[in-house]
Amino acid sequence: MEKSDVIRVTPNEAHRRIESGKAVLVCAYESDEKCQSMLLEGAETLHEFEDRLPEIPQEQEVIFYCA
């Protein structure tokens, strides 16, 4: 699989992966205001994710969402 390939997962599968620590959940809106209004439990904003990017292992699964 290419790094640019996108795999869609169901909400249940996303929840399972996040709860098990296999994935990080990121709200994909660039606007912090919009992101805060759409932020799901356990998710981080896109800007928070970008700030943490250097410390996130390259193999870490990331699930981006938008409403």
Side-chain angles (χ1 to χ4, degrees):
M1 176 175 17
E2 295 291 320
K3 287 185 178 186
S4 62
D5 289 346
V6 174
I7 299 172
R8 294 183 183 263
V9 295
T10 65
N12 287 338
E13 179 64 16
H15 184 264
R16 186 184 68 72
R17 292 178 185 190
I18 294 158
E19 287 292 309
S20 70
K22 292 182 180 179
V24 174
L25 183 62
V26 180
C27 181
Y29 291 110
E30 288 188 4
S31 162
D32 282 338
E33 183 178 303
K34 188 165 190 174
C35 212
Q36 289 299 329
S37 70
M38 302 288 186
L39 203 61
L40 297 176
E41 184 178 333
E44 54 191 76
T45 67
L46 185 59
H47 290 125
E48 291 169 337
F49 174 73
E50 289 171 338
D51 288 345
R52 287 189 338 106
L53 202 51
E55 67 191 50
I56 297 173
Q58 198 169 25
E59 64 277 355
Q60 174 68 55
E61 182 177 356
V62 179
I63 299 175
F64 291 96
Y65 75 91
C66 59

